[in-house]
Amino acid sequence: MRIDLFHGLRTVFNFAAEKAKQTLAGEFASRGRSVDDYLDVLGVLPDPDPILRKLDQSGSILSDLMADDHLTSVIQTRKVGTLNREWRIEPGAHGGGDPDEQSKKAALAFADDLGNFNMFDVISEILDAPYYGMTPIEIMYEPDGGLWHITNLRCLPSTWFVYDKDNNPRFLSKEEMISGEALPENKFVFARHFPSYENPYGLRLLSRVFWPITFKKGGVRFWMKFLEKFGIPFVIGKYKEGTSKALQAELLNNLVNMVQDAAAVVPEGSAIDVLKAEGKSSSSDGSFSKLKDAMEAGISKVIMGQTLTAELSGDKGSFAASKTHENVLESYRDCDARLVKDTIERIAAIYVKVNFEGASTPRFIWHEEDDPRKEFADRDKVLHDTGVRFKKEYITRVYNIPADEYELADSPNAAPPTDTGEEFAEGEREGDQLLLEDLMDDVIGDGTKAAEGTIKKIMDAVEGSEDYDDLSERLAVLFPELDGKGLSEVLERAIFAAEMFGTHTAVVDDENAAQDD
């Protein structure tokens, strides 16, 4: 009998599969192997910013754009919304548990070091990263008491640094003006705005407003010339036939003085007419104004994502539109806050690595992150004042407070528990169920404002109605004195929520029945 040892070996150890796994490690698609490899000579990645490349300029020209008044205004508007927020440093914890003593010591030492210099200015310069693409930060150390304390965080010009073919930052020194010098370990952190493999320099918003500002400057320059030419009335002097050249020159000189000083002396018998620039000139003046407004609107969109928060005069839209624009700006500010948080925590990670090996990285916390959801708190207070009492499950879900960390106070006005039928299984109150409950919560809140004290009756009518007509009849019996106009929107949302809730319940029942089968 012949034993195929090689066949058995192939069965136990698949050489082809193992060879395929070897390709998982390392880099396959690289700049050095790509058809776009242009780093062999310089060894650094050219700045891929499309605006700067077409202009054949470096990022240094971006600072000149800050001379524009509108650009400065919108940048300040975006930045101060984040700068005005308070922050703190908290100990980190491994795996989401409680911080150990070493982590507490690390957080306390890190917070003390940050308190020794002006962190307001540091955060302000970190917030410049969206405009210049990145903010390089050098960590300044000083040894004392067995620790390397941070004495300052120096935010440096982005033009001092380049990236090599592996996307590692390098410092452009006098000795290495082209390829740059490698950076020392644990010394630098880079706050970057939307970096990518193709563009490690970050997305520069200032380069995106270069042309709007350029066109605006050119338009204003021509506008000023236009106003000099047509904004001042023409003064025409008339002289009698046979007047000498000397008298003509004297008359012209007097008219020039008249335009400047609004007074003139002319020879007797001379006539003076004043012509105003009207018609075509005034319409042209409006065109310059529209050009300026259009360019400034473009600048606002790039920096703040919208325009209404930068245009405070005139009829610029409805209240709803202005709130939408304000929410867009807040989203930009939240993104800026996240950039600051990530940057400071990367500095904290280096600090722990240098001084507290093994400790968890301290956390940078904006105070608002732990605040209750104010909009729900305001609504729930109104409901509480009308007699509504919430269960612990609701408080835990909406406010994200662990159930074992609070107790509900007993109240003589507390409503009796409502029989909700079969309880949901653990983990089932997720996904669409939570969305539906949130929608019902919103309906109840809006209903409170529309007709205070009638919430329970309205919701009982909603739950007991088969369709909209049935609900209308029930409400007409319950509240004959009410004007339906104020409740129309609430009723539509209630009907929608009830229908969605019913549909969801039917689906869950079908799924449970299928599982039982």
Side-chain angles (χ1 to χ4, degrees):
M1 181 176 66
R2 178 175 176 271
I3 300 177
D4 192 347
L5 296 179
F6 289 99
H7 176 74
L9 183 61
R10 286 196 298 270
T11 303
V12 175
F13 190 85
N14 191 327
F15 288 98
E18 290 300 318
K19 183 177 181 181
K21 289 181 181 180
Q22 297 301 318
T23 61
L24 299 178
E27 186 179 56
F28 179 79
S30 63
R31 288 195 175 100
R33 298 183 62 240
S34 72
V35 296
D36 293 331
D37 180 24
Y38 42 75
L39 303 174
D40 291 339
V41 178
L42 300 179
V44 296
L45 175 66
D47 194 330
D49 188 290
I51 307 298
L52 298 181
R53 289 178 64 182
K54 290 184 179 180
L55 295 173
D56 195 22
Q57 296 284 343
S58 66
S60 59
I61 70 168
L62 300 179
S63 298
D64 297 337
L65 300 177
M66 293 298 294
D68 183 80
D69 58 334
H70 185 78
L71 175 63
T72 300
S73 173
V74 294
I75 286 179
Q76 295 303 311
T77 299
R78 175 172 167 176
K79 286 180 63 174
V80 296
T82 304
L83 284 171
N84 285 334
R85 299 168 64 176
E86 297 293 333
W87 56 273
R88 65 182 183 273
I89 300 296
E90 287 189 353
H94 296 291
D98 294 331
D100 54 34
E101 290 302 319
Q102 184 77 343
S103 298
K104 292 180 181 179
K105 291 180 181 178
L108 181 60
F110 182 64
D112 287 343
D113 284 359
L114 296 186
N116 292 329
F117 50 90
N118 194 334
M119 276 298 294
F120 182 90
D121 291 344
V122 173
I123 293 177
S124 177
E125 292 189 79
I126 292 175
L127 292 174
D128 284 336
Y131 314 114
Y132 294 95
M134 64 180 180
T135 298
I137 304 170
E138 182 178 8
I139 307 174
M140 308 301 295
Y141 295 96
E142 184 175 296
D144 183 30
L147 296 178
W148 283 88
H149 292 280
I150 297 178
T151 60
N152 198 10
L153 297 174
R154 298 176 61 237
C155 297
L156 306 173
S158 60
T159 53
W160 289 5
F161 297 85
V162 293
Y163 284 85
D164 62 17
K165 62 181 180 180
D166 297 319
N167 284 8
N168 296 317
R170 301 178 68 87
F171 173 62
L172 293 176
S173 64
K174 292 182 178 179
E175 293 77 15
E176 296 289 345
M177 300 177 63
I178 298 179
S179 59
E181 296 182 17
L183 304 182
E185 189 178 1
N186 301 326
K187 185 66 172 170
F188 286 88
V189 167
F190 289 75
R192 297 186 293 171
H193 180 243
F194 297 157
S196 64
Y197 180 80
E198 184 180 6
N199 181 19
Y201 294 88
L203 174 63
R204 295 183 179 95
L205 296 184
L206 285 183
S207 70
R208 272 57 180 180
V209 300
F210 176 85
W211 290 117
I213 290 178
T214 300
F215 293 144
K216 175 189 170 183
K217 286 182 177 179
V220 171
R221 185 180 300 111
F222 282 110
W223 194 4
M224 293 299 101
K225 292 182 178 179
F226 175 85
L227 291 177
E228 290 179 0
K229 185 175 183 180
F230 296 102
I232 301 175
F234 287 96
V235 180
I236 301 176
K238 298 179 180 179
Y239 54 87
K240 295 180 180 180
E241 186 176 354
T243 303
S244 64
K245 295 293 184 181
L247 290 178
Q248 293 179 27
E250 181 182 356
L251 177 60
L252 177 61
N253 184 61
N254 288 334
L255 294 181
V256 172
N257 293 333
M258 179 181 177
V259 171
Q260 297 177 350
D261 303 328
V265 177
V266 298
E268 184 179 358
S270 300
I272 299 177
D273 292 335
V274 178
L275 299 180
K276 296 182 179 179
E278 296 177 347
K280 184 177 179 179
S281 60
S282 60
S283 62
S284 300
D285 183 43
S287 298
F288 286 115
S289 178
K290 291 179 180 179
L291 172 64
K292 177 177 178 293
D293 292 343
M295 295 303 101
E296 290 187 344
I299 295 170
S300 298
K301 289 179 181 178
V302 170
I303 302 300
M304 301 194 299
Q306 42 76 41
T307 59
L308 289 187
T309 58
E311 304 295 337
L312 301 181
S313 61
D315 183 11
K316 295 296 181 180
S318 65
F319 175 77
S322 64
K323 290 297 294 182
T324 300
H325 284 225
E326 183 179 350
N327 291 338
V328 172
L329 176 58
E330 285 303 316
S331 298
Y332 277 49
R333 289 170 173 167
D334 290 342
C335 187
D336 290 345
R338 180 59 183 267
L339 175 66
V340 173
K341 175 183 175 68
D342 291 346
T343 302
I344 300 300
E345 289 186 349
R346 278 188 282 129
I347 296 173
I350 293 176
Y351 185 81
V352 167
K353 180 180 179 182
V354 171
N355 293 297
F356 298 91
E357 189 69 35
S360 183
T361 301
R363 300 173 58 217
F364 181 93
I365 302 295
W366 295 106
H367 282 315
E368 292 88 341
E369 292 181 5
D370 293 337
D371 288 344
R373 300 172 68 180
K374 187 177 185 302
E375 67 277 11
F376 286 94
D378 293 341
R379 180 200 63 187
D380 293 345
K381 182 180 185 302
V382 174
L383 293 177
H384 182 276
D385 292 343
T386 61
V388 176
R389 295 297 178 264
F390 299 100
K391 295 182 179 180
K392 292 191 70 172
E393 292 81 2
Y394 172 83
I395 302 298
T396 301
R397 174 172 58 82
V398 173
Y399 296 100
N400 196 28
I401 304 175
D404 57 353
E405 294 185 2
Y406 70 96
E407 293 293 340
L408 296 179
D410 295 332
S411 172
N413 298 325
T418 303
D419 183 10
T420 59
E422 183 178 355
E423 293 293 329
F424 286 96
E426 182 178 358
E428 190 174 329
R429 297 167 57 87
E430 298 177 354
D432 294 340
Q433 178 65 31
L434 294 180
L435 294 177
L436 289 170
E437 291 180 5
D438 287 341
L439 180 57
M440 293 297 290
D441 292 339
D442 289 341
V443 170
I444 293 176
D446 292 342
T448 302
K449 299 176 182 178
E452 185 174 356
T454 64
I455 301 169
K456 189 175 185 303
K457 294 180 180 180
I458 292 177
M459 296 312 299
D460 288 343
V462 170
E463 294 175 357
S465 300
E466 297 180 356
D467 52 30
Y468 188 86
D469 293 335
D470 187 15
L471 175 60
S472 299
E473 293 177 0
R474 290 172 182 264
L475 292 178
V477 174
L478 289 173
F479 310 106
E481 73 284 358
L482 283 183
D483 180 7
K485 183 179 179 180
L487 290 173
S488 60
E489 181 179 353
V490 177
L491 293 180
E492 290 179 3
R493 295 179 63 193
I495 286 292
F496 175 75
E499 291 178 351
M500 293 297 295
F501 187 86
T503 302
H504 176 78
T505 303
V507 172
V508 172
D509 291 342
D510 292 342
E511 292 177 351
N512 292 337
Q515 292 178 357
D516 293 338
D517 294 341

